[in-house]
Amino acid sequence: MKRILVTGGSGFIGSHTSINLLQKDYEVVIVDSFINSSRFFYERIKNLAKRIDSNLLRRIILFEGDIRDKNLLEGIFRKSINEGKRIEGVIHFAGLKAVAESLKEPSKYWDFNFIGTFRLIEVMEKYECRTLIFSSSATVYGCSKDFLITESAIVNPINPYGHTKAAVENFLKNIYDSQPDKWRIACLRYFNPIGAHSTGMIGENPNGMPNNIFPFINQVAIGKIERLEIFGNDWETSDGTCIRDYIHVMDLAEGHILSLEFLFENECRFINLNLGTGIGTSVLELVNIFQEVNKVKVPFIYTDRRVGDVARIVADNGFALSILNWKPTKTINEMCKDGWKWQQVKG
Ligand code: UD1
């Protein structure tokens, strides 16, 4: 049974991936500073694990702290070795992801996202753990005009958040190139993860005002926010609203496990992988489907375009499909249904 360190394992994608890891017989060591999550949310993860199988609880452990704290990270690796169970791989989610905030406070983003990864790599190297999944983003493609974006598209981020993701990818490539017979690294470029665990016990839990569309729709539907603003209805798309590639968070979690297994089972390598469905959905379609599936109202108005938005961002996921034997299985209806269930459970 392999032991995996999950940085940011109490966050949105980290929590779903941690549950999936436990179900696939891994031991999970979470390190989380709770800057974008909470201890309460971690308890939710444990409750869900218990509900699935109480034995799973014995295989999950939490360290509260920041990955920029090298002593903390070293302590985690050392403790594992002392227990006779070294950490064999890392899934690295910990980081900041609000575009607008990154424009106001770029240093903070370089510190958390870049320095955080830098420290992690130093410690992984020291303890000879050289298998890493990095949580990257389609944001690295910037304003790509490609109909379907492949991994070979130009990397050209347009905001500090995107620059930190692209810089970490480059840094990791340098690390791999320095010892190509030792490192196994996959950078997973997520498109738009939404939805929640089908039990409704865990889901996206933003602190304060949501930045992304799905938690916004949820909070309008439940009455916490009066109405949704749709950013522009004059885009060059069929209904004038932007098109994105929404992917169910459970399909995304599965993509992480399969990527990890792919790295373990194959020769050392460095890969970038798009994780999306390859299907585009407009903002208006998303709102309409959410209303229909959940039988709720989501009042909205059209406002100006948001600075930095692009009309259409959809993945060519062919590479992930072929090498991982992975296929997203959940429809946009299921994403809306599961995401709303979580909002109702959470209140
Ligand atoms: C955004 C970021 C992206 C980041 C990702 C992380 C921007 C420009 N992009 O992606 O860099 O990797 O989040 O999660 O911030 N929308 C509305 N009203 C809203 C919110 C969003 O109409 O209140 C629209 C947006 O214009 C967009 C779509 O919904 O067309 C999705 O928006 P969002 O969830 O913020 O994701 P991205 O913009 O794709």
PDB file of all heavy atoms in Angstrom, residues 39-63:
ATOM      1  N   ARG A  39     -10.702  23.366   9.071  1.00  0.00           N
ATOM      2  CA  ARG A  39     -10.632  22.099   9.791  1.00  0.00           C
ATOM      3  C   ARG A  39     -12.012  21.414   9.737  1.00  0.00           C
ATOM      4  O   ARG A  39     -12.109  20.203   9.617  1.00  0.00           O
ATOM      5  CB  ARG A  39     -10.229  22.368  11.240  1.00  0.00           C
ATOM      6  CG  ARG A  39      -9.819  21.157  11.991  1.00  0.00           C
ATOM      7  CD  ARG A  39      -9.102  21.546  13.272  1.00  0.00           C
ATOM      8  NE  ARG A  39      -7.681  21.483  13.121  1.00  0.00           N
ATOM      9  CZ  ARG A  39      -6.977  20.337  13.134  1.00  0.00           C
ATOM     10  NH1 ARG A  39      -7.570  19.182  13.276  1.00  0.00           N
ATOM     11  NH2 ARG A  39      -5.675  20.353  13.022  1.00  0.00           N
ATOM     12  N   PHE A  40     -13.042  22.233   9.790  1.00  0.00           N
ATOM     13  CA  PHE A  40     -14.411  21.696   9.709  1.00  0.00           C
ATOM     14  C   PHE A  40     -14.580  20.913   8.404  1.00  0.00           C
ATOM     15  O   PHE A  40     -15.162  19.836   8.368  1.00  0.00           O
ATOM     16  CB  PHE A  40     -15.403  22.867   9.777  1.00  0.00           C
ATOM     17  CG  PHE A  40     -16.826  22.460   9.522  1.00  0.00           C
ATOM     18  CD1 PHE A  40     -17.546  21.784  10.498  1.00  0.00           C
ATOM     19  CD2 PHE A  40     -17.450  22.756   8.309  1.00  0.00           C
ATOM     20  CE1 PHE A  40     -18.858  21.395  10.266  1.00  0.00           C
ATOM     21  CE2 PHE A  40     -18.765  22.367   8.078  1.00  0.00           C
ATOM     22  CZ  PHE A  40     -19.463  21.691   9.056  1.00  0.00           C
ATOM     23  N   PHE A  41     -14.023  21.468   7.333  1.00  0.00           N
ATOM     24  CA  PHE A  41     -14.150  20.795   6.038  1.00  0.00           C
ATOM     25  C   PHE A  41     -13.356  19.489   6.036  1.00  0.00           C
ATOM     26  O   PHE A  41     -13.786  18.486   5.466  1.00  0.00           O
ATOM     27  CB  PHE A  41     -13.688  21.714   4.897  1.00  0.00           C
ATOM     28  CG  PHE A  41     -14.078  21.195   3.551  1.00  0.00           C
ATOM     29  CD1 PHE A  41     -15.391  21.275   3.105  1.00  0.00           C
ATOM     30  CD2 PHE A  41     -13.150  20.589   2.730  1.00  0.00           C
ATOM     31  CE1 PHE A  41     -15.761  20.763   1.872  1.00  0.00           C
ATOM     32  CE2 PHE A  41     -13.500  20.073   1.494  1.00  0.00           C
ATOM     33  CZ  PHE A  41     -14.813  20.170   1.063  1.00  0.00           C
ATOM     34  N   TYR A  42     -12.218  19.509   6.728  1.00  0.00           N
ATOM     35  CA  TYR A  42     -11.432  18.268   6.832  1.00  0.00           C
ATOM     36  C   TYR A  42     -12.251  17.196   7.557  1.00  0.00           C
ATOM     37  O   TYR A  42     -12.223  16.017   7.188  1.00  0.00           O
ATOM     38  CB  TYR A  42     -10.100  18.544   7.546  1.00  0.00           C
ATOM     39  CG  TYR A  42      -9.303  17.283   7.781  1.00  0.00           C
ATOM     40  CD1 TYR A  42      -8.719  16.595   6.714  1.00  0.00           C
ATOM     41  CD2 TYR A  42      -9.181  16.742   9.065  1.00  0.00           C
ATOM     42  CE1 TYR A  42      -8.014  15.417   6.921  1.00  0.00           C
ATOM     43  CE2 TYR A  42      -8.477  15.559   9.275  1.00  0.00           C
ATOM     44  CZ  TYR A  42      -7.901  14.908   8.203  1.00  0.00           C
ATOM     45  OH  TYR A  42      -7.216  13.734   8.398  1.00  0.00           O
ATOM     46  N   GLU A  43     -13.009  17.623   8.583  1.00  0.00           N
ATOM     47  CA  GLU A  43     -13.856  16.657   9.310  1.00  0.00           C
ATOM     48  C   GLU A  43     -14.901  16.063   8.369  1.00  0.00           C
ATOM     49  O   GLU A  43     -15.253  14.893   8.458  1.00  0.00           O
ATOM     50  CB  GLU A  43     -14.551  17.334  10.513  1.00  0.00           C
ATOM     51  CG  GLU A  43     -13.596  17.753  11.627  1.00  0.00           C
ATOM     52  CD  GLU A  43     -12.738  16.591  12.161  1.00  0.00           C
ATOM     53  OE1 GLU A  43     -13.265  15.468  12.302  1.00  0.00           O
ATOM     54  OE2 GLU A  43     -11.524  16.810  12.405  1.00  0.00           O
ATOM     55  N   ARG A  44     -15.373  16.898   7.446  1.00  0.00           N
ATOM     56  CA  ARG A  44     -16.332  16.414   6.434  1.00  0.00           C
ATOM     57  C   ARG A  44     -15.728  15.282   5.605  1.00  0.00           C
ATOM     58  O   ARG A  44     -16.375  14.300   5.283  1.00  0.00           O
ATOM     59  CB  ARG A  44     -16.702  17.541   5.468  1.00  0.00           C
ATOM     60  CG  ARG A  44     -17.674  18.565   6.004  1.00  0.00           C
ATOM     61  CD  ARG A  44     -19.065  17.986   5.888  1.00  0.00           C
ATOM     62  NE  ARG A  44     -20.048  18.934   6.341  1.00  0.00           N
ATOM     63  CZ  ARG A  44     -20.900  19.562   5.537  1.00  0.00           C
ATOM     64  NH1 ARG A  44     -20.867  19.360   4.255  1.00  0.00           N
ATOM     65  NH2 ARG A  44     -21.779  20.383   6.034  1.00  0.00           N
ATOM     66  N   ILE A  45     -14.454  15.473   5.229  1.00  0.00           N
ATOM     67  CA  ILE A  45     -13.770  14.457   4.419  1.00  0.00           C
ATOM     68  C   ILE A  45     -13.700  13.160   5.219  1.00  0.00           C
ATOM     69  O   ILE A  45     -13.989  12.072   4.710  1.00  0.00           O
ATOM     70  CB  ILE A  45     -12.344  14.932   4.028  1.00  0.00           C
ATOM     71  CG1 ILE A  45     -12.408  16.236   3.247  1.00  0.00           C
ATOM     72  CG2 ILE A  45     -11.596  13.863   3.236  1.00  0.00           C
ATOM     73  CD1 ILE A  45     -11.047  16.902   3.024  1.00  0.00           C
ATOM     74  N   LYS A  46     -13.356  13.296   6.510  1.00  0.00           N
ATOM     75  CA  LYS A  46     -13.249  12.098   7.350  1.00  0.00           C
ATOM     76  C   LYS A  46     -14.619  11.427   7.518  1.00  0.00           C
ATOM     77  O   LYS A  46     -14.718  10.204   7.485  1.00  0.00           O
ATOM     78  CB  LYS A  46     -12.666  12.471   8.713  1.00  0.00           C
ATOM     79  CG  LYS A  46     -11.186  12.804   8.613  1.00  0.00           C
ATOM     80  CD  LYS A  46     -10.379  12.420   9.832  1.00  0.00           C
ATOM     81  CE  LYS A  46     -10.961  12.960  11.107  1.00  0.00           C
ATOM     82  NZ  LYS A  46     -10.077  12.826  12.253  1.00  0.00           N
ATOM     83  N   ASN A  47     -15.664  12.239   7.677  1.00  0.00           N
ATOM     84  CA  ASN A  47     -17.010  11.666   7.809  1.00  0.00           C
ATOM     85  C   ASN A  47     -17.403  10.898   6.554  1.00  0.00           C
ATOM     86  O   ASN A  47     -18.015   9.836   6.631  1.00  0.00           O
ATOM     87  CB  ASN A  47     -18.046  12.764   8.068  1.00  0.00           C
ATOM     88  CG  ASN A  47     -17.953  13.274   9.485  1.00  0.00           C
ATOM     89  OD1 ASN A  47     -17.385  12.601  10.354  1.00  0.00           O
ATOM     90  ND2 ASN A  47     -18.476  14.476   9.734  1.00  0.00           N
ATOM     91  N   LEU A  48     -17.038  11.470   5.405  1.00  0.00           N
ATOM     92  CA  LEU A  48     -17.366  10.786   4.148  1.00  0.00           C
ATOM     93  C   LEU A  48     -16.582   9.475   4.054  1.00  0.00           C
ATOM     94  O   LEU A  48     -17.138   8.427   3.696  1.00  0.00           O
ATOM     95  CB  LEU A  48     -17.046  11.700   2.953  1.00  0.00           C
ATOM     96  CG  LEU A  48     -17.224  11.078   1.567  1.00  0.00           C
ATOM     97  CD1 LEU A  48     -18.627  10.499   1.372  1.00  0.00           C
ATOM     98  CD2 LEU A  48     -16.940  12.119   0.471  1.00  0.00           C
ATOM     99  N   ALA A  49     -15.304   9.528   4.434  1.00  0.00           N
ATOM    100  CA  ALA A  49     -14.475   8.304   4.395  1.00  0.00           C
ATOM    101  C   ALA A  49     -15.098   7.246   5.308  1.00  0.00           C
ATOM    102  O   ALA A  49     -15.223   6.076   4.933  1.00  0.00           O
ATOM    103  CB  ALA A  49     -13.051   8.634   4.831  1.00  0.00           C
ATOM    104  N   LYS A  50     -15.538   7.680   6.478  1.00  0.00           N
ATOM    105  CA  LYS A  50     -16.131   6.752   7.446  1.00  0.00           C
ATOM    106  C   LYS A  50     -17.405   6.124   6.884  1.00  0.00           C
ATOM    107  O   LYS A  50     -17.653   4.934   7.038  1.00  0.00           O
ATOM    108  CB  LYS A  50     -16.446   7.537   8.726  1.00  0.00           C
ATOM    109  CG  LYS A  50     -16.800   6.685   9.907  1.00  0.00           C
ATOM    110  CD  LYS A  50     -16.793   7.546  11.150  1.00  0.00           C
ATOM    111  CE  LYS A  50     -17.673   6.944  12.222  1.00  0.00           C
ATOM    112  NZ  LYS A  50     -17.972   7.918  13.268  1.00  0.00           N
ATOM    113  N   ARG A  51     -18.188   6.991   6.223  1.00  0.00           N
ATOM    114  CA  ARG A  51     -19.448   6.491   5.670  1.00  0.00           C
ATOM    115  C   ARG A  51     -19.189   5.436   4.572  1.00  0.00           C
ATOM    116  O   ARG A  51     -19.930   4.470   4.451  1.00  0.00           O
ATOM    117  CB  ARG A  51     -20.219   7.686   5.099  1.00  0.00           C
ATOM    118  CG  ARG A  51     -21.520   7.301   4.474  1.00  0.00           C
ATOM    119  CD  ARG A  51     -22.391   8.521   4.309  1.00  0.00           C
ATOM    120  NE  ARG A  51     -23.164   8.418   3.082  1.00  0.00           N
ATOM    121  CZ  ARG A  51     -23.995   9.324   2.648  1.00  0.00           C
ATOM    122  NH1 ARG A  51     -24.163  10.437   3.317  1.00  0.00           N
ATOM    123  NH2 ARG A  51     -24.668   9.149   1.545  1.00  0.00           N
ATOM    124  N   ILE A  52     -18.121   5.655   3.793  1.00  0.00           N
ATOM    125  CA  ILE A  52     -17.799   4.693   2.727  1.00  0.00           C
ATOM    126  C   ILE A  52     -17.319   3.383   3.351  1.00  0.00           C
ATOM    127  O   ILE A  52     -17.765   2.306   3.004  1.00  0.00           O
ATOM    128  CB  ILE A  52     -16.734   5.288   1.767  1.00  0.00           C
ATOM    129  CG1 ILE A  52     -17.321   6.491   1.018  1.00  0.00           C
ATOM    130  CG2 ILE A  52     -16.242   4.238   0.775  1.00  0.00           C
ATOM    131  CD1 ILE A  52     -16.282   7.339   0.291  1.00  0.00           C
ATOM    132  N   ASP A  53     -16.399   3.500   4.305  1.00  0.00           N
ATOM    133  CA  ASP A  53     -15.854   2.302   4.970  1.00  0.00           C
ATOM    134  C   ASP A  53     -15.030   2.791   6.161  1.00  0.00           C
ATOM    135  O   ASP A  53     -14.020   3.471   5.977  1.00  0.00           O
ATOM    136  CB  ASP A  53     -14.966   1.533   3.968  1.00  0.00           C
ATOM    137  CG  ASP A  53     -14.250   0.356   4.612  1.00  0.00           C
ATOM    138  OD1 ASP A  53     -14.373   0.164   5.844  1.00  0.00           O
ATOM    139  OD2 ASP A  53     -13.562  -0.378   3.872  1.00  0.00           O
ATOM    140  N   SER A  54     -15.442   2.435   7.373  1.00  0.00           N
ATOM    141  CA  SER A  54     -14.777   3.001   8.556  1.00  0.00           C
ATOM    142  C   SER A  54     -13.276   2.662   8.598  1.00  0.00           C
ATOM    143  O   SER A  54     -12.499   3.367   9.223  1.00  0.00           O
ATOM    144  CB  SER A  54     -15.479   2.553   9.838  1.00  0.00           C
ATOM    145  OG  SER A  54     -15.469   1.153   9.891  1.00  0.00           O
ATOM    146  N   ASN A  55     -12.873   1.595   7.882  1.00  0.00           N
ATOM    147  CA  ASN A  55     -11.441   1.246   7.853  1.00  0.00           C
ATOM    148  C   ASN A  55     -10.605   2.315   7.146  1.00  0.00           C
ATOM    149  O   ASN A  55      -9.405   2.423   7.387  1.00  0.00           O
ATOM    150  CB  ASN A  55     -11.223  -0.091   7.139  1.00  0.00           C
ATOM    151  CG  ASN A  55     -11.748  -1.234   7.980  1.00  0.00           C
ATOM    152  OD1 ASN A  55     -11.531  -1.248   9.178  1.00  0.00           O
ATOM    153  ND2 ASN A  55     -12.462  -2.149   7.350  1.00  0.00           N
ATOM    154  N   LEU A  56     -11.251   3.082   6.272  1.00  0.00           N
ATOM    155  CA  LEU A  56     -10.504   4.099   5.517  1.00  0.00           C
ATOM    156  C   LEU A  56      -9.904   5.148   6.453  1.00  0.00           C
ATOM    157  O   LEU A  56      -8.867   5.732   6.171  1.00  0.00           O
ATOM    158  CB  LEU A  56     -11.401   4.807   4.491  1.00  0.00           C
ATOM    159  CG  LEU A  56     -12.047   3.968   3.384  1.00  0.00           C
ATOM    160  CD1 LEU A  56     -12.749   4.858   2.367  1.00  0.00           C
ATOM    161  CD2 LEU A  56     -11.007   3.104   2.673  1.00  0.00           C
ATOM    162  N   LEU A  57     -10.588   5.369   7.577  1.00  0.00           N
ATOM    163  CA  LEU A  57     -10.143   6.419   8.508  1.00  0.00           C
ATOM    164  C   LEU A  57      -8.731   6.170   9.031  1.00  0.00           C
ATOM    165  O   LEU A  57      -8.023   7.106   9.368  1.00  0.00           O
ATOM    166  CB  LEU A  57     -11.102   6.489   9.698  1.00  0.00           C
ATOM    167  CG  LEU A  57     -12.375   7.277   9.472  1.00  0.00           C
ATOM    168  CD1 LEU A  57     -13.189   7.319  10.741  1.00  0.00           C
ATOM    169  CD2 LEU A  57     -12.049   8.695   9.005  1.00  0.00           C
ATOM    170  N   ARG A  58      -8.363   4.906   9.078  1.00  0.00           N
ATOM    171  CA  ARG A  58      -7.032   4.569   9.590  1.00  0.00           C
ATOM    172  C   ARG A  58      -5.938   4.950   8.605  1.00  0.00           C
ATOM    173  O   ARG A  58      -4.772   4.932   8.938  1.00  0.00           O
ATOM    174  CB  ARG A  58      -6.949   3.072   9.873  1.00  0.00           C
ATOM    175  CG  ARG A  58      -7.499   2.721  11.232  1.00  0.00           C
ATOM    176  CD  ARG A  58      -7.140   1.295  11.610  1.00  0.00           C
ATOM    177  NE  ARG A  58      -8.374   0.519  11.692  1.00  0.00           N
ATOM    178  CZ  ARG A  58      -8.625  -0.582  11.014  1.00  0.00           C
ATOM    179  NH1 ARG A  58      -7.728  -1.069  10.195  1.00  0.00           N
ATOM    180  NH2 ARG A  58      -9.773  -1.197  11.150  1.00  0.00           N
ATOM    181  N   ARG A  59      -6.340   5.268   7.378  1.00  0.00           N
ATOM    182  CA  ARG A  59      -5.334   5.533   6.347  1.00  0.00           C
ATOM    183  C   ARG A  59      -5.246   6.993   5.939  1.00  0.00           C
ATOM    184  O   ARG A  59      -4.674   7.326   4.923  1.00  0.00           O
ATOM    185  CB  ARG A  59      -5.640   4.655   5.122  1.00  0.00           C
ATOM    186  CG  ARG A  59      -5.319   3.207   5.393  1.00  0.00           C
ATOM    187  CD  ARG A  59      -5.228   2.421   4.121  1.00  0.00           C
ATOM    188  NE  ARG A  59      -6.489   1.836   3.739  1.00  0.00           N
ATOM    189  CZ  ARG A  59      -7.195   2.178   2.673  1.00  0.00           C
ATOM    190  NH1 ARG A  59      -6.764   3.104   1.868  1.00  0.00           N
ATOM    191  NH2 ARG A  59      -8.326   1.579   2.406  1.00  0.00           N
ATOM    192  N   ILE A  60      -5.872   7.860   6.718  1.00  0.00           N
ATOM    193  CA  ILE A  60      -5.784   9.298   6.392  1.00  0.00           C
ATOM    194  C   ILE A  60      -5.257  10.064   7.600  1.00  0.00           C
ATOM    195  O   ILE A  60      -5.663   9.799   8.732  1.00  0.00           O
ATOM    196  CB  ILE A  60      -7.149   9.860   5.900  1.00  0.00           C
ATOM    197  CG1 ILE A  60      -6.995  11.319   5.472  1.00  0.00           C
ATOM    198  CG2 ILE A  60      -8.247   9.687   6.925  1.00  0.00           C
ATOM    199  CD1 ILE A  60      -8.158  11.852   4.659  1.00  0.00           C
ATOM    200  N   ILE A  61      -4.328  10.946   7.349  1.00  0.00           N
ATOM    201  CA  ILE A  61      -3.758  11.723   8.461  1.00  0.00           C
ATOM    202  C   ILE A  61      -3.519  13.154   7.985  1.00  0.00           C
ATOM    203  O   ILE A  61      -3.225  13.384   6.804  1.00  0.00           O
ATOM    204  CB  ILE A  61      -2.480  11.040   9.011  1.00  0.00           C
ATOM    205  CG1 ILE A  61      -1.661  11.984   9.869  1.00  0.00           C
ATOM    206  CG2 ILE A  61      -1.608  10.453   7.967  1.00  0.00           C
ATOM    207  CD1 ILE A  61      -0.566  11.285  10.614  1.00  0.00           C
ATOM    208  N   LEU A  62      -3.682  14.091   8.901  1.00  0.00           N
ATOM    209  CA  LEU A  62      -3.568  15.513   8.553  1.00  0.00           C
ATOM    210  C   LEU A  62      -2.390  16.168   9.274  1.00  0.00           C
ATOM    211  O   LEU A  62      -2.175  15.928  10.465  1.00  0.00           O
ATOM    212  CB  LEU A  62      -4.854  16.237   8.972  1.00  0.00           C
ATOM    213  CG  LEU A  62      -4.781  17.762   8.955  1.00  0.00           C
ATOM    214  CD1 LEU A  62      -4.850  18.299   7.521  1.00  0.00           C
ATOM    215  CD2 LEU A  62      -5.893  18.384   9.788  1.00  0.00           C
ATOM    216  N   PHE A  63      -1.656  17.007   8.548  1.00  0.00           N
ATOM    217  CA  PHE A  63      -0.701  17.924   9.157  1.00  0.00           C
ATOM    218  C   PHE A  63      -1.168  19.327   8.807  1.00  0.00           C
ATOM    219  O   PHE A  63      -1.308  19.649   7.622  1.00  0.00           O
ATOM    220  CB  PHE A  63       0.716  17.706   8.612  1.00  0.00           C
ATOM    221  CG  PHE A  63       1.331  16.420   9.066  1.00  0.00           C
ATOM    222  CD1 PHE A  63       1.114  15.247   8.358  1.00  0.00           C
ATOM    223  CD2 PHE A  63       2.107  16.379  10.215  1.00  0.00           C
ATOM    224  CE1 PHE A  63       1.673  14.051   8.785  1.00  0.00           C
ATOM    225  CE2 PHE A  63       2.669  15.183  10.649  1.00  0.00           C
ATOM    226  CZ  PHE A  63       2.453  14.016   9.934  1.00  0.00           C
TER     227      PHE A  63
END
